[in-house]
Amino acid sequence: MTLDINTKKMTIMGVSFENWVIFKSVWYVLSTNMIEGWQPTVGDVEKLRDEALALGIV
């Protein structure tokens, strides 16, 4: 499985991001965990984005 990443639109699997740091952080988390065999869903991407926003990662 590969992630559908669009760096110009800042989307991962169709989920939009408004903050570059959060976008890159979620991308890193997804890619490193996929090495271990995890196959994320769109819901997973949304959850990670929302959790990063709630934690104030900037």
Side-chain angles (χ1 to χ4, degrees):
M1 174 183 196
T2 59
L3 287 175
D4 177 21
I5 305 284
N6 185 322
T7 56
K8 291 182 180 169
K9 292 183 179 179
M10 283 198 327
T11 61
I12 301 172
M13 295 177 71
V15 177
S16 341
F17 291 77
E18 295 180 10
N19 180 297
W20 180 253
V21 173
I22 291 177
F23 172 75
K24 296 244 338 196
S25 297
V26 171
W27 184 2
Y28 175 78
V29 168
L30 291 167
S31 62
T32 56
N33 282 286
M34 286 175 65
I35 292 170
E36 300 296 325
W38 180 49
Q39 294 188 5
T41 64
V42 170
D44 294 327
V45 177
E46 292 171 334
K47 183 177 178 181
L48 287 168
R49 177 199 59 198
D50 295 345
E51 288 176 355
L53 285 168
L55 289 171
I57 297 174
V58 178

